[in-house]
Amino acid sequence: MTKMNDDGGLIGMRTEDLRVQALKNPLGINENPVFSWQLVSDKKDEKNERQTAYRILVSESEASLINETGMLWDSGVVKESRCFGILYQGKKLHSAQKAYWKVMVWDGENQASVWSETASFETGLLEREDWKGTWIGQGEDYENQELAPVLVGEFEVADLEQVVCARAYISGLGVFLADMNGQKLSDAFFEPGESDATKTVYYVTYDITNQLISGTNFLTITLGNGQYTGYTINPVMVYQDGTKTKFGRYQKNDSCFVKPGICGRKKLIAQVELILKDGTRKIVCTSNENWLWVNGPTVFQNWYGGEDYDACLAEELIGKIPSEENGWAKAKKMQSPKGVLMARECPPIRIEERFTAKSVKKLGEGHFMVDVGKNGAGFVELVLHGTTKENRGNWISMYPAEMINETDNGVDQRSCTQSWSEKFDCVIRDSYRMAGTGEERWHPSFCYHGFQYVEVVGFPGELTSDQIICCRLAVANEKHGTFETSNQTLNRICEITDRSISSNMYWSFTDCPQIEKLGWIETSHLMFASVADVYDIRAWMKKIIHDICDSQLDNEQASLAGNNEEGFVPGIIPAFYRIGGLYKDPNWNGACVFTPWAYYQYYGDEAVLRQAFPVIERYLAYLDRQTTNGVLENYAQMGEWGEYGEHTPNVLVATCAYYRMLVITKQICEILKGQKKQKENKLDKKAKLYEAKAQAVRDAFYHHPECYDEATEQFGTGSQASYAIALFSGMAEEHEEQAVKALVEAVKKNGYHLTSGEVGLKQVFTALAEAGYSDVVYQMVMNPTAPSYRVFADNGLTTLPEYWNYEELWLGSMVRSRNHAMMGHVREWMTSFVLGLRPQSPGWTKMLVAPYAVAELTYAKGSVMTPWGIVKVSWKKENESFFLAAYIPLGIIATVCMPKEYGGSQLEVGSGEWKFEAKVEN
């Protein structure tokens, strides 16, 4: 019986935030639903609550769910404490099937909760045969790919009252915008999501029920290039022979190898289905050669170089019915991409922040400099008032940049173009041709930029700050992580890091939002905790892991001229580019091991390990072939990328990564074996094999002169990263005490300055903090002289630059990005050690609350999102006392550790709100 309070209200455990694929009521998923929920309690002062069992019901209708009849799945009562990663095990689902579900849970007293609120999910088109349309476009020989074609399909709805719901399934390569009868289908940008089109092509499902009308309906899709229609198809800076194009726009074009089929001309496939009252599923529109197209008002668009929009042309097109008589052409059938059409199961890219410009400075007639106040990723929305016929046809040009030039009379785009703006006389520009109709608004739809400043040319009249609206875009990962202390500089460092992270949350975790916009894949694991501590990345990171698995070379791909061996995983994913001399390195390519492992550790989901395991094995077999006498010598090309003032040998960095992969893979074998519930199977043998290989690599490491000097007990060159990487990988386990001391001395020797690159930096912070030296990390972070994070904040930076010495030219000639997330590992340290929140078992089932009481701080507070819910903590120092408060969600067991200077007492607690106090020990 469920307990009630005196007012008849329910007391006890209940569920909320029901999700499938980590999404709320998702529309158009693939065929394997994964359920999760969070637990809350209505008991006063609840403590140590936990789930002991659950029951899930899934049905085709809300009515049958209420009546508990005609179930697609009744899980029965399952003894399980976990409330996430629950796989659907019911009847086979078919395409376009909507299902409703609810869950009941039992607590530690075997008390049943009430049923949850009803949630839902809907499958997309699960089989290729479900797609009745064809890929269409302007034709494989159409050259003007800088234009954005508008394609229209029409269909009839005879009796709107018979329609229960309607769906549009759309994929467009590279990117697309869609509307139905003039209404946008969503507020998302750059759909459907980047992928390796030889393996996977994502599509999006839209609910168009409310956009339908009786009679003739028009589905309109506008296509942009994105990364898919890149420089090999549509050069806008220079041609492949080096001669300049007429466009003069910046474009990344320095790939030494382009995989066949990963790029191509713009195309789309679409399908509209109605569900009628009698249950009939009716296809009313499919993409075919009866569709019509015309080049739209976006007269130039490029993922890097910007976008031009002609509002006069838009005005001419509005109201004209698409027809060949009105200048439209019949669509042509296009070559289908090789990849499988798959629902994209992660949040879309949206405008996450809008704000007006901070300041506007007039440089001349119609010429203005705009400062939006902080660096970031997105675009500017231009707002015009009172335009007239005299303005009609005039262009307003906007040049985004991260810097102002030395004479203060314009922007400097070199950090957005790696100085190619000078080398190739090119620009990044967004332009708008005024219609002269009074009130006008516009922003790009097919590109975005990294910028803080915008130079505006050709503006009519006086430009005011409210006419430049900065739109910051990112994948709509929910933000739950917070961090605040009594030190405003440390808070600014947190804000700077968070802004760089969000600036690079696109279809991949990009390196930067201007020069490259590419998924350099090492950050997906090196920065995993720093990102997950702030954002809910469960769905987004699964998309990235899928893309990683897609990227691995098979035998057919390996046989292509200029390609790598079978099993190789690229360093950029999706592999739109391969940069010569910068594509082989186990800390990059090994993301196929490290990223699924990081996901499992953080979210406790073994499914990613099962998915990645075949890829992991093939990659390790490839890597084994690259070794020389057991180590990775003369192989890794990036090494300790971004190091400054000290060098760490590539062979040490690479071999430690390889060793750690082998150790992890042995653990994965044991985890997957445990799930099969067999005493002996192939995974036993594989676990022993990887363990033996790891030992062999370890032995070889200690015999390599660049890795370890037995006489001096020095790792590598004695750099900070040399010791930290050996410690983090477990390679220095037998020398841990000595290595930690040597690491501390290496930091002191450099005046507490940061010298590590992006691989070693995380490992320096982790090795020091786990050994009890967070005071050393704090001094490094807050060092008043460069290089340090504090210097970034003191210099007024609002995002993290690419390198510690960001004001110097890279390779003597190139200005580099002011917005990279790769050095953002301080964010993980803030959550894990200043707040003291870190998992002790996969999925945070067990965790630590062990804050470091920074001497210079009087308080710190913050939160982190776990699979169980949000953990909150705050601490403060008053007089001789330390006060700690924590909220632990239901399902987690936390070990609370007071700082050692306040006694260092420990207590294991369960869920609930907890408060602790301790005195300074004399």
Side-chain angles (χ1 to χ4, degrees):
M1 177 181 289
T2 303
K3 296 178 181 178
M4 313 285 284
N5 62 26
D6 294 339
D7 298 324
L10 297 169
I11 297 177
M13 189 183 294
R14 57 184 172 84
T15 57
E16 62 180 20
D17 195 28
L18 275 65
R19 297 186 181 226
V20 170
Q21 322 306 57
L23 304 170
K24 294 181 179 179
N25 301 323
L27 190 66
I29 67 167
N30 299 306
E31 60 184 333
N32 298 308
V34 180
F35 300 95
S36 64
W37 56 89
Q38 290 182 2
L39 304 166
V40 291
S41 177
D42 293 317
K43 295 179 182 178
K44 291 183 180 179
D45 301 320
E46 58 90 5
K47 291 281 196 300
N48 303 316
E49 289 276 6
R50 61 190 179 91
Q51 172 188 300
T52 59
Y54 69 81
R55 183 187 177 200
I56 296 174
L57 295 181
V58 183
S59 180
E60 287 185 323
S61 72
E62 290 184 272
S64 62
L65 188 66
I66 293 170
N67 297 328
E68 299 185 19
T69 59
M71 292 294 105
L72 291 169
W73 183 40
D74 180 349
S75 70
V77 179
V78 179
K79 298 293 183 182
E80 172 62 71
S81 61
R82 207 164 66 164
C83 57
F84 52 88
I86 310 301
L87 302 177
Y88 174 81
Q89 298 179 55
K91 295 178 181 177
K92 184 174 174 58
L93 300 171
H94 57 73
S95 292
Q97 182 169 10
K98 186 156 190 177
Y100 300 85
W101 70 285
K102 60 184 179 180
V103 62
M104 174 185 287
V105 297
W106 282 259
D107 65 15
E109 298 175 352
N110 202 31
Q111 193 76 33
S113 73
V114 295
W115 283 109
S116 67
E117 296 292 325
T118 298
S120 67
F121 65 87
E122 184 173 317
T123 58
L125 301 182
L126 304 181
E127 306 292 341
R128 181 61 185 90
E129 293 72 25
D130 293 320
W131 290 87
K132 305 304 180 184
T134 57
W135 286 93
I136 58 171
Q138 299 162 287
E140 295 293 350
D141 57 349
Y142 191 82
E143 291 298 327
N144 298 324
Q145 293 294 305
E146 74 281 355
L147 302 172
V150 180
L151 294 96
V152 175
E154 65 176 82
F155 61 94
E156 298 294 320
V157 177
D159 189 352
L160 191 59
E161 291 186 359
Q162 294 300 310
V163 178
V164 174
C165 64
R167 302 288 183 259
Y169 305 95
I170 304 173
S171 183
L173 296 173
V175 296
F176 73 85
L177 285 176
D179 69 68
M180 178 67 71
N181 299 320
Q183 298 181 56
K184 285 186 177 180
L185 297 192
S186 80
D187 58 357
F189 288 86
F190 316 140
E191 300 278 47
E194 292 174 358
S195 67
D196 179 344
T198 69
K199 298 290 186 67
T200 296
V201 178
Y202 293 111
Y203 71 89
V204 185
T205 303
Y206 297 99
D207 182 352
I208 59 170
T209 309
N210 295 329
Q211 281 93 352
L212 291 182
I213 60 175
S214 290
T216 303
N217 290 258
F218 293 93
L219 174 59
T220 304
I221 301 172
T222 307
L223 294 175
N225 286 358
Q227 288 281 23
Y228 180 76
T229 306
Y231 78 94
T232 58
I233 307 295
N234 183 220
V236 299
M237 184 176 68
V238 294
Y239 295 108
Q240 292 187 20
D241 63 4
T243 59
K244 297 177 183 178
T245 71
K246 65 179 181 180
F247 303 107
R249 301 295 184 94
Y250 169 69
Q251 179 180 44
K252 186 166 180 62
N253 72 342
D254 55 348
S255 183
C256 67
F257 177 82
V258 179
K259 180 180 179 180
I262 200 169
C263 296
R265 282 173 166 73
K266 296 186 290 292
K267 63 196 72 172
L268 70 84
I269 189 169
Q271 187 160 306
V272 175
E273 298 189 9
L274 311 180
I275 303 298
L276 305 180
K277 286 182 177 179
D278 62 4
T280 303
R281 178 180 159 200
K282 184 178 181 182
I283 298 173
V284 294
C285 181
T286 61
S287 51
N288 56 46
E289 292 170 281
N290 289 321
W291 280 44
L292 298 173
W293 72 268
V294 70
N295 283 316
T298 300
V299 295
F300 177 91
Q301 46 77 38
N302 181 268
W303 194 238
Y304 296 96
E307 188 168 327
D308 300 336
Y309 186 88
D310 187 342
C312 298
L313 179 57
E315 193 179 39
E316 294 173 15
L317 291 173
I318 290 174
K320 288 187 178 180
I321 296 175
S323 66
E324 292 181 86
E325 291 76 14
N326 286 331
W328 294 62
K330 285 284 185 71
K332 294 185 178 180
K333 187 175 180 179
M334 303 290 286
Q335 182 178 346
S336 299
K338 292 182 179 179
V340 175
L341 281 160
M342 178 179 290
R344 192 198 71 235
E345 295 180 338
C346 79
I349 293 173
R350 290 196 175 105
I351 296 175
E352 292 291 285
E353 185 183 14
R354 295 170 63 94
F355 54 91
T356 56
K358 178 183 178 182
S359 66
V360 177
K361 176 184 176 182
K362 188 169 185 177
L363 302 176
E365 191 62 34
H367 189 190
F368 299 87
M369 176 66 71
V370 178
D371 180 358
V372 302
K374 50 193 176 184
N375 203 11
F379 47 62
V380 159
E381 182 175 30
L382 180 67
V383 181
L384 301 173
H385 304 299
T387 60
T388 65
K389 291 181 180 178
E390 285 70 29
N391 304 127
R392 182 178 176 84
N394 294 336
W395 286 91
I396 300 171
S397 296
M398 297 177 286
Y399 300 85
E402 295 180 316
M403 305 187 302
I404 296 174
N405 65 26
E406 294 178 355
T407 57
D408 205 30
N409 66 348
V411 295
D412 182 347
Q413 291 190 329
R414 289 179 300 164
S415 75
C416 299
T417 66
Q418 60 188 2
S419 296
W420 287 3
S421 48
E422 293 181 330
K423 181 179 180 180
F424 296 112
D425 191 26
C426 60
V427 297
I428 301 169
R429 182 178 67 231
D430 297 326
S431 300
Y432 177 78
R433 188 182 186 210
M434 292 177 281
T437 54
E439 301 299 302
E440 301 182 51
R441 298 178 78 102
W442 175 79
H443 61 64
S445 296
F446 303 106
C447 69
Y448 72 100
H449 312 291
F451 69 100
Q452 178 175 341
Y453 304 99
V454 182
E455 184 178 347
V456 180
V457 179
F459 191 86
E462 297 301 312
L463 177 63
T464 57
S465 59
D466 61 346
Q467 292 178 282
I468 296 290
I469 299 175
C470 183
C471 302
R472 296 300 191 208
L473 280 72
V475 168
N477 295 322
E478 297 172 24
K479 185 175 182 179
H480 297 286
T482 59
F483 179 82
E484 180 187 322
T485 72
S486 55
N487 187 296
Q488 294 307 310
T489 299
L490 192 61
N491 295 342
R492 284 201 302 276
I493 292 169
C494 180
E495 292 168 5
I496 290 168
T497 305
D498 286 358
R499 192 170 295 117
S500 282
I501 289 171
S502 66
S503 296
N504 288 286
M505 289 195 311
Y506 279 73
W507 294 129
S508 56
F509 191 23
T510 59
D511 60 328
C512 57
Q514 10 56 11
I515 295 174
E516 295 190 331
K517 303 183 182 182
L518 295 171
W520 285 95
I521 203 62
E522 84 287 359
T523 54
S524 68
H525 66 90
L526 291 172
M527 282 289 294
F528 190 101
S530 290
V531 182
D533 285 347
V534 186
Y535 296 94
D536 180 354
I537 59 172
R538 288 175 291 178
W540 178 59
M541 196 54 70
K542 275 197 171 182
K543 186 260 183 198
I544 290 174
I545 291 171
H546 178 87
D547 293 344
I548 291 172
C549 293
D550 269 359
S551 73
Q552 187 170 53
L553 271 61
D554 56 26
N555 284 321
E556 180 183 351
Q557 294 162 345
S559 67
L560 297 172
N563 214 348
N564 220 295
E565 295 179 35
E566 191 271 336
F568 175 76
V569 173
I572 296 171
I573 298 173
F576 295 113
Y577 290 77
R578 181 185 297 171
I579 310 303
L582 294 174
Y583 61 89
K584 291 190 302 185
D585 194 293
N587 277 299
W588 276 251
N589 321 128
C592 64
V593 183
F594 293 137
T595 305
W597 184 248
Y599 192 102
Y600 169 69
Q601 292 295 316
Y602 206 96
Y603 293 120
D605 187 352
E606 302 91 348
V608 296
L609 302 181
R610 289 194 299 271
Q611 175 190 7
F613 189 66
V615 176
I616 291 171
E617 289 205 287
R618 288 193 293 271
Y619 175 67
L620 289 178
Y622 156 81
L623 206 56
D624 182 62
R625 298 193 297 271
Q626 314 310 312
T627 59
T628 302
N629 298 322
V631 299
L632 287 170
E633 188 170 23
N634 301 320
Y635 171 76
Q637 296 173 325
M638 282 79 97
E640 175 60 328
W641 186 260
E643 62 188 3
Y644 179 72
E646 290 187 320
H647 174 62
T648 302
N650 279 16
V651 63
L652 181 149
V653 181
T655 303
C656 283
Y658 181 36
Y659 172 76
R660 183 167 172 254
M661 282 183 228
L662 292 166
V663 173
I664 287 172
T665 306
K666 179 232 178 187
Q667 294 174 274
I668 292 174
C669 289
E670 293 170 341
I671 292 164
L672 298 181
K673 174 206 166 185
Q675 291 179 335
K676 292 190 175 183
K677 298 179 182 179
Q678 296 177 12
K679 291 182 179 180
E680 282 286 328
N681 58 34
K682 292 181 180 179
L683 290 173
D684 285 305
K685 294 180 180 179
K686 288 182 178 181
K688 292 175 183 176
L689 171 65
Y690 290 118
E691 183 176 31
K693 283 190 174 185
Q695 185 59 51
V697 171
R698 181 187 182 87
D699 292 343
F701 176 91
Y702 278 98
H703 286 90
H704 194 285
E706 287 191 71
C707 295
Y708 184 72
D709 185 327
E710 186 175 2
T712 62
E713 296 185 318
Q714 176 176 293
F715 285 91
T717 58
S719 64
Q720 295 174 20
S722 292
Y723 288 108
I725 290 171
L727 285 163
F728 184 86
S729 65
M731 191 72 85
E733 184 177 5
E734 295 175 2
H735 306 270
E736 184 172 346
E737 184 177 350
Q738 182 273 333
V740 169
K741 288 180 181 179
L743 170 57
V744 173
E745 288 305 312
V747 174
K748 290 179 179 179
K749 182 183 72 175
N750 281 281
Y752 293 92
H753 287 110
L754 299 162
T755 66
S756 300
E758 63 170 314
V759 176
L761 185 61
K762 169 191 172 73
Q763 302 177 25
V764 167
F765 288 169
T766 302
L768 287 170
E770 287 186 345
Y773 289 97
S774 270
D775 58 326
V776 175
V777 177
Y778 184 82
Q779 290 181 74
M780 298 171 78
V781 171
M782 297 295 287
N783 197 317
T785 58
S788 75
Y789 289 99
R790 175 179 171 177
V791 169
F792 293 160
D794 289 348
N795 287 354
L797 299 187
T798 55
T799 51
L800 296 175
E802 186 171 1
Y803 299 119
W804 301 123
N805 55 333
Y806 67 96
E807 293 181 310
E808 299 176 18
L809 294 177
W810 188 61
L811 299 180
S813 63
M814 285 187 262
V815 177
R816 299 304 294 178
S817 159
R818 267 41 173 187
N819 195 350
H820 260 62
M822 73 181 191
M823 297 293 200
H825 307 295
V826 66
R827 191 62 178 85
E828 179 181 355
W829 173 76
M830 289 172 172
T831 297
S832 295
F833 294 98
V834 179
L835 298 180
L837 304 178
R838 51 193 187 271
Q840 289 296 99
S841 65
W844 294 76
T845 301
K846 293 183 178 180
M847 67 167 291
L848 279 179
V849 180
Y852 164 60
V854 183
E856 293 82 356
L857 301 181
T858 58
Y859 79 86
K861 61 181 180 179
S863 59
V864 65
M865 179 73 171
T866 78
W868 304 93
I870 298 175
V871 177
K872 299 178 182 178
V873 69
S874 63
W875 61 259
K876 63 180 179 178
K877 295 182 284 188
E878 288 184 358
N879 301 321
E880 298 294 305
S881 297
F882 184 86
F883 299 92
L884 174 65
Y887 172 74
I888 309 299
L890 277 70
I892 295 179
I893 301 297
T895 300
V896 180
C897 304
M898 299 297 276
K900 61 182 180 181
E901 56 267 45
Y902 292 92
S905 62
Q906 297 186 17
L907 179 67
E908 186 173 275
V909 301
S911 64
E913 294 185 1
W914 300 90
K915 294 184 178 180
F916 307 91
E917 179 181 354
K919 298 285 186 181
V920 170
E921 284 202 343
N922 297 320

